[in-house]
Amino acid sequence: MRTQEPVINSQQSQADQSGDHLSAQLKILKPNNQIRELQTVIRDRKTSRGDFVFCADRLIRLVVEEGLNQLPCKSREVTTPTNYTYEGVDFVHGNCGVSIMRSGEAMEHGLRDCCRSIRIGKILIKTIEDTGEARKLYAKFPPDISRRRVLLMYPILSTGNTVVQAVNVLKEHVPERNIILLTLFCTPTGAEAVTNHFPEMKVLTSEVDPVIPTHFGQKYFGTD
């Protein structure tokens, strides 16, 4: 097992493993033992809900942190307590989160842990069982969302139908290039569907695999 640092990697290695060609806009965390263990615990059917939530929150935090690295920043000079001038950076103001209910709400705490005052909107998409069509049932965004960059949160990307509909709704308010999708697990099919629909939107995930933990939302919220 490889033990590399948890920084952004291109999709090449996991795309090769799945046999699918994925867009360059898809960013995958470099695999290491820590990430692999979290993914293992989340997949294990014997995992207790307490351990599941603990590991899910850790993985969410890693994905959120890397999502923040995709946001623009500017130079900032500060003076330390020892009168040393330090040239650092500061995030450009104007970011927000949007969670796709309900499973996306599991990622809100991780985002607020990193950005305490960030504003978070919500969107509810319903999939019609007979047709597989996804429809918007509810949406509430910050009033100035058109001037913000959006971190769209949805932990499990399976077919991509729900995310496609959610992004279509967001695009009525926000340019596509200002949206970053944060997801924990996605299938090659879902990743391809989303990136093909939205070539200007970045997608960040911890793993691309044909078999993903679709029980995530039920287990996290204790409704399984």
Coordinates of all heavy atoms in Angstrom, one line a residue, residues 158-217:
S158 N -23.3 8.8 -7.1 CA -23.6 7.5 -7.7 C -23.9 7.6 -9.2 O -23.0 7.5 -10.1 CB -24.8 6.8 -7.1 OG -25.0 5.5 -7.6
T159 N -25.1 7.9 -9.6 CA -25.4 8.1 -11.0 C -25.1 9.5 -11.5 O -24.9 9.8 -12.7 CB -26.9 7.8 -11.3 OG1 -27.7 8.8 -10.6 CG2 -27.3 6.4 -10.8
G160 N -25.1 10.5 -10.6 CA -24.9 11.9 -10.9 C -26.2 12.7 -11.2 O -26.1 13.9 -11.3
N161 N -27.3 12.0 -11.2 CA -28.6 12.7 -11.5 C -28.9 13.8 -10.6 O -29.3 14.9 -11.0 CB -29.8 11.6 -11.6 CG -29.6 10.7 -12.8 OD1 -28.9 11.0 -13.7 ND2 -30.3 9.6 -12.7
T162 N -28.8 13.5 -9.3 CA -29.1 14.5 -8.2 C -28.2 15.7 -8.3 O -28.7 16.8 -8.3 CB -29.1 13.8 -6.8 OG1 -30.0 12.8 -6.7 CG2 -29.3 14.9 -5.8
V163 N -27.0 15.4 -8.5 CA -26.0 16.5 -8.6 C -26.2 17.4 -9.8 O -26.2 18.6 -9.8 CB -24.5 16.0 -8.5 CG1 -23.6 17.1 -8.9 CG2 -24.3 15.5 -7.1
V164 N -26.5 16.7 -10.9 CA -26.7 17.5 -12.2 C -27.9 18.4 -12.0 O -27.9 19.6 -12.4 CB -27.0 16.5 -13.4 CG1 -27.6 17.2 -14.6 CG2 -25.7 15.8 -13.7
Q165 N -29.0 17.9 -11.4 CA -30.2 18.8 -11.2 C -29.8 19.9 -10.2 O -30.3 21.1 -10.4 CB -31.4 18.0 -10.7 CG -32.6 18.8 -10.5 CD -33.1 19.4 -11.8 OE1 -32.9 18.9 -12.9 NE2 -33.7 20.6 -11.6
A166 N -29.1 19.6 -9.2 CA -28.7 20.6 -8.2 C -27.9 21.7 -8.8 O -28.1 22.9 -8.6 CB -28.0 20.0 -7.0
V167 N -26.9 21.3 -9.6 CA -26.1 22.3 -10.3 C -26.9 23.1 -11.3 O -26.6 24.3 -11.4 CB -24.9 21.6 -11.0 CG1 -24.0 22.6 -11.7 CG2 -24.0 20.9 -9.9
N168 N -27.8 22.5 -12.0 CA -28.7 23.3 -12.9 C -29.4 24.4 -12.2 O -29.6 25.5 -12.7 CB -29.6 22.4 -13.6 CG -29.0 21.6 -14.8 OD1 -28.0 22.0 -15.4 ND2 -29.5 20.4 -15.0
V169 N -29.9 24.1 -11.0 CA -30.6 25.1 -10.1 C -29.6 26.1 -9.7 O -29.9 27.3 -9.8 CB -31.2 24.4 -8.9 CG1 -31.8 25.5 -8.0 CG2 -32.3 23.4 -9.3
L170 N -28.4 25.8 -9.3 CA -27.4 26.7 -8.8 C -27.0 27.7 -10.0 O -26.7 28.9 -9.8 CB -26.2 26.0 -8.3 CG -26.2 25.6 -6.8 CD1 -24.9 24.8 -6.5 CD2 -26.2 26.9 -5.9
K171 N -26.9 27.1 -11.2 CA -26.5 27.9 -12.3 C -27.4 29.0 -12.7 O -27.1 30.0 -13.4 CB -26.2 27.0 -13.5 CG -24.9 26.2 -13.5 CD -24.8 25.3 -14.7 CE -24.6 26.1 -15.9 NZ -24.4 25.3 -17.2
E172 N -28.6 29.0 -12.1 CA -29.6 30.1 -12.3 C -29.1 31.3 -11.5 O -29.6 32.4 -11.7 CB -31.0 29.7 -11.9 CG -31.6 28.5 -12.7 CD -32.9 28.1 -12.1 OE1 -33.4 28.7 -11.2 OE2 -33.4 27.1 -12.7
H173 N -28.2 31.1 -10.6 CA -27.7 32.2 -9.7 C -26.2 32.4 -9.7 O -25.8 33.5 -9.4 CB -28.1 31.8 -8.2 CG -29.6 31.5 -8.0 ND1 -30.5 32.4 -7.8 CD2 -30.2 30.3 -8.0 CE1 -31.7 31.8 -7.7 NE2 -31.5 30.5 -7.8
V174 N -25.5 31.3 -10.1 CA -24.0 31.4 -10.0 C -23.4 30.8 -11.3 O -23.9 29.9 -11.8 CB -23.5 30.5 -8.8 CG1 -22.0 30.6 -8.6 CG2 -24.2 30.8 -7.5
P175 N -22.3 31.5 -11.7 CA -21.6 30.9 -12.9 C -21.1 29.5 -12.6 O -20.6 29.2 -11.5 CB -20.5 31.9 -13.2 CG -20.9 33.2 -12.5 CD -21.7 32.8 -11.3
E176 N -21.1 28.7 -13.6 CA -20.6 27.3 -13.4 C -19.2 27.2 -12.9 O -18.9 26.4 -12.0 CB -20.8 26.5 -14.7 CG -20.3 25.1 -14.7 CD -20.4 24.4 -16.0 OE1 -21.4 24.7 -16.7 OE2 -19.5 23.7 -16.4
R177 N -18.4 28.1 -13.4 CA -16.9 28.1 -13.0 C -16.7 28.4 -11.5 O -15.6 28.2 -11.0 CB -16.2 29.1 -13.8 CG -16.5 30.5 -13.7 CD -15.8 31.4 -14.6 NE -16.1 32.8 -14.4 CZ -17.2 33.4 -15.0 NH1 -17.9 32.7 -15.8 NH2 -17.5 34.7 -14.8
N178 N -17.8 29.0 -10.8 CA -17.6 29.3 -9.4 C -18.2 28.3 -8.5 O -18.3 28.5 -7.3 CB -18.4 30.6 -9.1 CG -17.7 31.9 -9.7 OD1 -16.5 31.8 -10.2 ND2 -18.3 33.0 -9.6
I179 N -18.5 27.1 -9.0 CA -19.0 26.0 -8.2 C -17.9 24.9 -8.1 O -17.3 24.5 -9.1 CB -20.3 25.4 -8.8 CG1 -21.3 26.5 -9.0 CG2 -20.8 24.3 -8.0 CD1 -22.5 26.0 -9.8
I180 N -17.7 24.4 -6.9 CA -16.8 23.3 -6.6 C -17.6 22.2 -5.9 O -18.2 22.5 -4.8 CB -15.6 23.7 -5.8 CG1 -14.8 24.8 -6.5 CG2 -14.7 22.5 -5.5 CD1 -13.7 25.3 -5.6
L181 N -17.7 21.0 -6.5 CA -18.4 19.9 -5.9 C -17.5 19.1 -4.9 O -16.4 18.7 -5.4 CB -19.0 19.0 -6.9 CG -19.6 17.7 -6.4 CD1 -20.9 18.0 -5.6 CD2 -20.0 16.8 -7.6
L182 N -17.9 19.0 -3.7 CA -17.1 18.2 -2.7 C -17.9 16.9 -2.4 O -19.1 17.0 -2.0 CB -17.0 19.0 -1.4 CG -16.3 20.4 -1.5 CD1 -16.2 20.9 -0.1 CD2 -15.0 20.3 -2.2
T183 N -17.3 15.8 -2.7 CA -18.0 14.5 -2.5 C -16.9 13.5 -1.9 O -15.7 13.6 -2.2 CB -18.6 14.0 -3.8 OG1 -19.3 12.7 -3.5 CG2 -17.6 13.7 -4.9
L184 N -17.4 12.6 -1.1 CA -16.4 11.6 -0.5 C -16.1 10.4 -1.4 O -15.0 10.0 -1.6 CB -17.0 11.1 0.8 CG -17.4 12.1 1.9 CD1 -17.8 11.4 3.1 CD2 -16.2 13.1 2.1
F185 N -17.2 9.9 -2.0 CA -17.0 8.7 -2.9 C -17.8 8.9 -4.2 O -18.9 9.5 -4.1 CB -17.6 7.4 -2.2 CG -16.9 7.1 -0.9 CD1 -17.4 7.6 0.3 CD2 -15.8 6.3 -0.9 CE1 -16.8 7.3 1.5 CE2 -15.2 5.9 0.3 CZ -15.7 6.4 1.5
C186 N -17.3 8.5 -5.3 CA -18.1 8.6 -6.5 C -17.7 7.5 -7.5 O -16.6 6.9 -7.4 CB -17.9 10.0 -7.2 SG -16.2 10.3 -7.8
T187 N -18.7 7.1 -8.3 CA -18.5 6.1 -9.3 C -17.9 6.7 -10.5 O -18.1 7.9 -10.8 CB -19.8 5.4 -9.6 OG1 -20.7 6.3 -10.2 CG2 -20.5 4.8 -8.4
P188 N -17.3 5.9 -11.4 CA -16.8 6.4 -12.7 C -18.0 7.0 -13.5 O -17.9 8.0 -14.2 CB -16.2 5.2 -13.3 CG -15.7 4.4 -12.2 CD -16.8 4.5 -11.2
T189 N -19.2 6.3 -13.4 CA -20.3 6.7 -14.2 C -20.8 8.1 -13.7 O -21.1 9.0 -14.5 CB -21.5 5.7 -14.0 OG1 -21.0 4.5 -14.5 CG2 -22.7 6.2 -14.8
G190 N -20.9 8.3 -12.4 CA -21.3 9.5 -11.8 C -20.4 10.7 -12.1 O -20.8 11.8 -12.4
A191 N -19.1 10.4 -11.9 CA -18.1 11.4 -12.2 C -18.1 11.8 -13.7 O -18.0 13.0 -14.0 CB -16.7 10.8 -11.8
E192 N -18.2 10.9 -14.6 CA -18.3 11.2 -16.0 C -19.5 12.0 -16.3 O -19.4 13.0 -17.1 CB -18.2 9.9 -16.8 CG -18.1 10.2 -18.3 CD -17.8 8.9 -19.1 OE1 -18.0 7.8 -18.5 OE2 -17.5 9.0 -20.3
A193 N -20.7 11.6 -15.8 CA -21.9 12.3 -16.0 C -21.8 13.8 -15.6 O -22.2 14.7 -16.4 CB -23.1 11.6 -15.3
V194 N -21.3 14.0 -14.4 CA -21.2 15.4 -13.9 C -20.2 16.2 -14.6 O -20.5 17.4 -15.0 CB -20.9 15.3 -12.4 CG1 -20.6 16.7 -11.8 CG2 -22.1 14.7 -11.6
T195 N -19.0 15.7 -14.9 CA -18.0 16.5 -15.6 C -18.4 16.7 -17.0 O -18.0 17.8 -17.6 CB -16.6 15.8 -15.5 OG1 -16.7 14.4 -16.0 CG2 -16.1 15.7 -14.0
N196 N -19.1 15.8 -17.6 CA -19.5 16.0 -19.0 C -20.6 17.1 -19.1 O -20.6 18.0 -20.0 CB -20.1 14.8 -19.6 CG -19.0 13.8 -20.0 OD1 -17.8 14.2 -20.1 ND2 -19.4 12.5 -20.3
H197 N -21.5 17.2 -18.1 CA -22.5 18.2 -18.1 C -21.9 19.6 -17.7 O -22.4 20.6 -18.2 CB -23.6 17.8 -17.0 CG -24.7 17.0 -17.5 ND1 -24.6 15.6 -17.6 CD2 -25.9 17.3 -18.1 CE1 -25.7 15.1 -18.1 NE2 -26.5 16.1 -18.4
F198 N -20.9 19.6 -16.9 CA -20.4 20.9 -16.4 C -18.9 20.9 -16.5 O -18.2 20.7 -15.5 CB -20.9 21.0 -14.9 CG -22.3 20.8 -14.7 CD1 -22.8 19.7 -14.0 CD2 -23.3 21.7 -15.2 CE1 -24.1 19.5 -13.8 CE2 -24.6 21.5 -15.0 CZ -25.0 20.4 -14.3
P199 N -18.4 21.2 -17.7 CA -17.0 21.1 -17.9 C -16.2 22.2 -17.2 O -15.0 22.2 -17.1 CB -16.8 21.3 -19.4 CG -18.1 21.9 -19.9 CD -19.2 21.4 -18.9
E200 N -16.9 23.3 -16.7 CA -16.2 24.4 -16.0 C -16.2 24.2 -14.5 O -15.6 25.0 -13.8 CB -16.8 25.7 -16.4 CG -16.7 26.1 -17.8 CD -17.2 27.5 -18.1 OE1 -16.7 28.4 -17.5 OE2 -18.2 27.6 -18.9
M201 N -16.9 23.2 -14.0 CA -17.0 23.0 -12.5 C -15.9 21.9 -12.1 O -15.8 20.9 -12.7 CB -18.4 22.5 -12.2 CG -18.6 22.3 -10.7 SD -20.3 21.6 -10.3 CE -20.1 19.9 -10.9
K202 N -15.3 22.3 -11.0 CA -14.3 21.3 -10.4 C -15.1 20.3 -9.5 O -16.0 20.7 -8.8 CB -13.3 22.1 -9.6 CG -12.3 22.9 -10.4 CD -11.3 23.6 -9.5 CE -10.3 24.4 -10.3 NZ -9.3 25.1 -9.4
V203 N -14.5 19.1 -9.5 CA -15.1 18.0 -8.6 C -14.0 17.5 -7.8 O -12.9 17.1 -8.3 CB -15.7 16.9 -9.4 CG1 -16.3 15.8 -8.5 CG2 -16.8 17.5 -10.3
L204 N -14.2 17.4 -6.5 CA -13.1 16.9 -5.5 C -13.7 15.8 -4.8 O -14.8 15.8 -4.2 CB -12.7 18.0 -4.6 CG -11.7 17.7 -3.5 CD1 -10.4 17.2 -4.1 CD2 -11.5 18.9 -2.6
T205 N -12.9 14.6 -4.7 CA -13.4 13.4 -4.0 C -12.2 12.7 -3.4 O -11.1 13.0 -3.7 CB -14.1 12.5 -5.0 OG1 -14.7 11.4 -4.3 CG2 -13.2 12.0 -6.1
S206 N -12.5 11.8 -2.5 CA -11.4 11.0 -1.9 C -11.2 9.7 -2.7 O -10.2 9.0 -2.6 CB -11.8 10.6 -0.5 OG -12.7 9.5 -0.4
E207 N -12.2 9.3 -3.6 CA -12.0 8.0 -4.3 C -13.0 7.9 -5.4 O -14.2 8.4 -5.3 CB -12.3 6.9 -3.3 CG -12.1 5.5 -3.9 CD -12.4 4.4 -2.9 OE1 -13.5 4.4 -2.4 OE2 -11.5 3.6 -2.6
V208 N -12.6 7.3 -6.5 CA -13.5 6.9 -7.6 C -13.5 5.4 -7.7 O -12.4 4.8 -7.8 CB -13.0 7.5 -9.0 CG1 -13.9 7.0 -10.1 CG2 -13.1 9.0 -8.9
D209 N -14.6 4.8 -7.5 CA -14.7 3.3 -7.5 C -16.1 2.9 -8.0 O -17.1 3.5 -7.6 CB -14.4 2.8 -6.1 CG -14.2 1.3 -6.1 OD1 -15.1 0.5 -6.0 OD2 -13.0 0.9 -6.1
P210 N -16.2 1.8 -8.7 CA -17.5 1.3 -9.1 C -18.5 1.0 -8.0 O -19.7 1.0 -8.1 CB -17.2 0.1 -10.0 CG -15.8 0.3 -10.4 CD -15.1 1.0 -9.3
V211 N -17.9 0.5 -6.9 CA -18.7 0.1 -5.7 C -18.5 1.2 -4.6 O -17.4 1.3 -4.1 CB -18.3 -1.3 -5.2 CG1 -19.2 -1.6 -4.0 CG2 -18.5 -2.3 -6.3
I212 N -19.5 1.9 -4.2 CA -19.4 3.0 -3.2 C -20.4 2.7 -2.1 O -21.3 2.0 -2.3 CB -19.6 4.4 -3.8 CG1 -21.0 4.4 -4.5 CG2 -18.6 4.7 -4.9 CD1 -21.4 5.8 -5.0
P213 N -20.1 3.3 -0.9 CA -21.0 3.0 0.3 C -22.3 3.8 0.2 O -22.4 4.9 0.8 CB -20.1 3.5 1.4 CG -19.2 4.5 0.9 CD -18.9 4.1 -0.5
T214 N -23.3 3.3 -0.6 CA -24.5 4.0 -0.8 C -25.4 4.1 0.5 O -26.4 4.8 0.5 CB -25.3 3.3 -1.9 OG1 -25.5 1.9 -1.5 CG2 -24.6 3.4 -3.2
H215 N -24.9 3.4 1.5 CA -25.7 3.4 2.8 C -25.2 4.6 3.7 O -25.7 4.8 4.8 CB -25.4 2.1 3.6 CG -24.0 2.0 4.0 ND1 -22.9 1.7 3.1 CD2 -23.4 2.0 5.2 CE1 -21.8 1.6 3.8 NE2 -22.0 1.8 5.1
F216 N -24.4 5.5 3.1 CA -23.7 6.5 3.9 C -24.7 7.4 4.7 O -24.6 7.6 5.9 CB -22.9 7.4 3.0 CG -22.1 8.5 3.8 CD1 -20.8 8.3 4.2 CD2 -22.7 9.7 4.0 CE1 -20.2 9.3 4.9 CE2 -22.1 10.7 4.7 CZ -20.8 10.5 5.2
G217 N -25.7 7.9 4.0 CA -26.7 8.8 4.6 C -27.5 8.2 5.8 O -27.6 8.7 6.9

